[in-house]
């Protein structure tokens, strides 16, 4: 059982580089992109799409070379209608794993323990297929002999219902869960109706159970670079304290999120420095930028300078900003890939394919394509195909 | 007569900084923004707007603290319909100078000598009325007495048409002209139907006449970081050679334009280094980035590192890319201002006011607001006004 996937431990080249070095010496490092379009993106769109389209979106993304896809959220459909039927998206990826050039890591957001229960239920229902056994009936408590049981535990065990072994691997792909907390009390209260400490207390058992069941846990820290209620100057020490606590509780990765997009180059630099001083390593971190004020790629460059090698983004620039109606949200995957490739970094991602998906899914949502690099790439593809 | 306006000579602090320095030490330098929305922006929009709206756009921009506004182009309306009636925009700024907190420098694009003639005609017609004299009739060649003339030259001299003194100042504001050339032969041929050398030959008399008349000349070098016909690797030495030639011909400023938006951080850095090695000083340069691939602000940061302190931008992200239909064009002024202010640089520009104009003018054009920071700022302003 591996809580830190190999891909995360491969970042040996974490030497500090200044921005000028990034632009001079081609990075040649691998940078991991966590595609959050199907979850963070769709969640912040006004229009809900059908579960079939969600499944199709995940399938198409799986073919692009992306290796990590946040595919859904086990939230209550009443509160987050756009995430309804995430259980069906999950079961679809389990029963019919999307074709992909590399193994994919799917991530699933869990707002609370009920979400974890629903997630595990889908996992367990599907798991027997992983070992080839048909789904056994519930083990009877008082029959004369044990019922068939694929569990690796003692064959005489009559626990009900059967559980998969403690592993996050299914059909050659991996699954992880994610949770989220806020860096400011105001956002925590307004968003989840509890204090930051209460959030930590509530998530502790969820994280413990996830680990026990073999699923790595990613923790988002939102409003890390600005809060809609407390303003742009989120105290970086509060973010660092929270990150340390979460890592001590067993989180495998911290995604530091600029939820409002208010983050700036100096603030990002200061935050990264503070995290480092608190003992948080680069390989524990992913940066999650929103492009609400157009700063996402600048903040990305600052982060690359610092040695960060994992970034969240959303295809087609999916997502908006609930705190700035009409404003941009997640940084677009196409723009991020274009930038990284321009520096010589390796992502493994096919920009043309992601651009095609960005054009398609934003059309499905009924909004304009939110990615500059995506639109420009689609224009080039049309020109090359002789269509324009 | 000052061909290099004082504002351009004030940049003494041109020390090299790395990107990490830009983000650590607040710049505290002044950065000049050249607002090209009314010309480069509108020129690349599919929709033409009435001259009254163009005049209103210039008037509103003049109130924001912007000090340099490219207000029109003396192109043939058949070829560039969006620039029709630039002569009326000019005469309006002369007869009814827009109110502004500081003196404004208005720039006017001249594609050829006929454009210069039309420009001077408007200038001369308006200038005659400036010191209280009614517009004199053309000086007769063979009358017995000389006609009144406002020329500072010999009072007995009888020029065929009265001319203003050789000065670019009108009613406390300045006027400059701009020309453009391409860094690649393919673009030069396709865009202006002549070679780069032929362009230089054609512009030489225009530049000489402009200088003689007291109007500083700005020269754009387009496709400096990528060409739609020759690809993304424009040879920086060709850009540098062209810049040196233009400066030797008397250009007062070179605006290096990433016309296709293909420019990347490493390419920008290399271009700036090549320009420096060729003897082009930072205060000869402005950078003109397009955001077609989302790289404009990243390239801006690289340029700031290098010591560049003048940047072109368009309010609301006006403009598209004729080579990538549907794609983004000019970097948005709001995004540029937000970025510069975040670094502690001084622009003198009111972000809220520019954002309001961006919302208004993109509505007039009938397109979505192309500025992220602008959209987010408008959202904040609405929220503060209690409208949401």
């Amino acid at each position: 059982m591996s809580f830190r996937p190999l891909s995360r431990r491969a970042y040996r080249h974490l030497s500090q580089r200044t921005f000028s070095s990034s632009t001079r010496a081609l990075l040649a490092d691998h940078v991991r992109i966590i595609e959050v379009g199907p979850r963070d993106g769709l969640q912040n769109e006004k229009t809900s799409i059908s579960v079939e389209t969600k499944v199709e979106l995940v399938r198409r993304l799986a073919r692009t070379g992306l290796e990590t896809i946040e595919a859904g959220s086990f939230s209550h459909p009443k509160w987050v209608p756009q995430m309804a039927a995430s259980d069906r998206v999950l079961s679809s990826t389990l029963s019919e794993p999307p074709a992909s050039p590399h193994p994919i890591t799917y991530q699933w957001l869990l707002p609370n323990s009920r979400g974890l229960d629903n997630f595990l239920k889908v996992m367990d229902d599907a798991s027997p297929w992983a070992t080839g056994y048909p789904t056994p009936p519930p083990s009877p408590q008082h029959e004369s002999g044990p019922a068939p049981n694929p569990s690796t535990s003692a064959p005489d065990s009559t626990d009900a219902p059967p559980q998969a072994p403690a592993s996050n691997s299914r059909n050659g792909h991996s699954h992880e869960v994610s949770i989220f907390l806020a860096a400011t009390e105001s956002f925590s209260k307004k968003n989840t109706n509890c204090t930051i400490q209460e959030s930590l207390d509530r998530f502790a058992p969820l994280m413990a159970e996830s680990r026990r069941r073999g699923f790595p846990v990613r923790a988002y820290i939102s409003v890390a670079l600005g809060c809609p209620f407390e303003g742009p100057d989120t105290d970086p020490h509060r973010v660092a304290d929270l990150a340390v606590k979460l890592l001590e509780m067993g989180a495998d990765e911290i995604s530091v999120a600029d939820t409002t997009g208010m983050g700036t180059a100096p603030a990002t630099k200061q935050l990264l420095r503070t995290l480092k001083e608190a003992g948080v390593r680069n390989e524990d971190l992913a940066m999650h930028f929103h492009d609400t004020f157009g700063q996402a790629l600048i903040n990305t460059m600052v982060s690359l300078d610092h040695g960060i090698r994992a970034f969240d983004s959303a295809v087609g620039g999916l997502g908006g900003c609930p705190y700035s109606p009409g404003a941009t949200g997640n940084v677009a995957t196409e723009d991020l890939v274009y930038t990284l490739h321009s520096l010589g970094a390796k992502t493994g991602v096919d920009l043309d394919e992601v651009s095609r998906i960005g054009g398609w899914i934003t059309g499905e949502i009924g909004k304009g394509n939110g990615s500059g690099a995506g639109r420009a790439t689609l224009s080039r593809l049309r020109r090359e195909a002789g269509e324009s």
Side-chain angles (χ1 to χ4, degrees), chain A:
Chain A
M1 178 172 74
S2 162
F3 281 117
R4 292 182 194 269
L6 185 62
S7 58
R8 289 190 196 138
R9 287 178 292 175
Y11 304 138
R12 302 287 174 227
H13 305 288
L14 292 176
S15 56
Q16 280 278 11
R17 294 181 202 266
T18 61
F19 187 89
S20 57
S21 293
S22 299
T23 55
R24 176 174 62 240
L26 302 185
L27 282 185
D29 284 359
H30 181 82
V31 177
R32 180 165 55 96
I33 294 181
I34 297 91
E35 169 60 49
V36 301
R39 200 285 301 170
D40 196 23
L42 293 184
Q43 176 162 335
N44 285 302
E45 289 290 347
K46 288 192 288 290
T47 312
S48 289
I49 58 174
S50 67
V51 67
E52 289 77 19
T53 309
K54 287 177 200 168
V55 169
E56 180 62 20
L57 173 61
V58 172
R59 281 186 193 289
R60 292 192 191 195
L61 289 167
R63 287 197 280 262
T64 62
L66 285 162
E67 294 184 359
T68 313
I69 300 174
E70 190 185 43
S73 170
F74 282 75
S75 313
H76 199 294
K78 181 177 174 188
W79 306 129
V80 191
Q82 302 89 332
M83 285 296 109
S86 283
D87 54 340
R88 287 168 58 192
V89 178
L90 172 55
S91 56
S92 170
T93 61
L94 293 170
S95 61
E96 201 186 325
S100 61
H102 316 286
I104 303 269
T105 296
Y106 294 98
Q107 292 181 339
W108 309 89
L109 186 66
L110 309 176
N112 48 41
S113 288
R114 188 181 315 118
L116 175 64
D117 292 343
N118 293 336
F119 168 78
L120 291 174
K121 189 155 164 303
V122 177
M123 274 291 163
D124 294 340
D125 286 347
S127 293
W129 298 11
T131 59
Y133 286 103
T135 311
S139 302
Q141 290 286 84
H142 301 290
E143 273 192 8
S144 49
N149 183 351
S151 170
T152 54
S153 55
D156 288 336
S157 166
T158 52
D159 289 343
Q163 282 188 352
S167 157
N168 74 325
S169 173
R170 301 287 185 277
N171 294 333
H173 300 280
S174 304
H175 293 264
E176 303 179 346
V177 300
S178 44
I179 63 167
F180 59 93
L181 287 90
T184 69
E185 290 292 357
S186 307
F187 194 83
S188 188
K189 288 257 173 57
K190 291 260 168 67
N191 203 38
T192 52
N193 210 22
C194 65
T195 65
I196 296 173
Q197 188 56 51
E198 285 167 346
S199 262
L200 285 165
D201 295 340
R202 290 179 195 187
F203 277 124
L206 187 159
M207 292 171 74
E209 179 65 7
S210 297
R211 290 172 63 87
R212 196 184 72 77
R213 290 295 311 270
F215 295 97
V217 177
R218 163 186 245 229
Y220 283 101
I221 298 178
S222 44
V223 295
L225 283 158
C227 172
F229 311 110
E230 295 186 19
D233 300 319
T234 302
D235 182 353
H237 293 98
R238 304 199 55 177
V239 180
D241 288 347
L242 201 47
V244 168
K245 277 190 179 130
L246 289 161
L247 289 166
E248 287 173 348
M249 286 162 70
D252 294 89
E253 179 176 77
I254 308 293
S255 175
V256 176
D258 181 16
T259 310
T260 60
M262 287 194 267
T264 64
T268 299
K269 193 179 178 79
Q270 190 192 11
L271 174 57
L272 289 168
R273 184 173 287 155
T274 308
L275 284 161
K276 181 179 182 180
E277 287 164 1
V280 180
R281 303 167 308 168
N282 280 335
E283 63 212 67
D284 297 323
L285 290 172
M287 300 303 286
H288 179 111
F289 292 116
H290 279 209
D291 211 23
T292 317
F293 289 87
Q295 304 302 300
L297 294 176
I298 286 178
N299 295 335
T300 298
M301 297 290 276
V302 171
S303 305
L304 285 166
D305 262 11
H306 186 86
I308 299 294
R309 295 291 181 266
F311 296 89
D312 301 356
S313 62
V315 61
L318 279 180
C321 184
Y323 306 98
S324 286
T328 314
N330 291 289
V331 64
T333 301
E334 300 93 305
D335 290 27
L336 179 60
V337 170
Y338 185 91
T339 302
L340 292 170
H341 288 183
S342 83
L343 300 172
K346 309 275 177 282
T347 65
V349 177
D350 182 332
L351 175 58
D352 289 0
E353 276 311 306
V354 178
S355 299
R356 289 189 177 101
I357 297 169
W360 165 71
I361 190 62
T362 49
E364 291 287 310
I365 298 274
K367 71 183 281 195
N369 188 333
S371 167
R375 286 203 304 279
T377 300
L378 286 172
S379 185
R380 171 179 62 75
L381 291 171
R382 281 194 299 268
R383 194 166 56 241
E384 289 169 1
E387 292 168 29
S388 62

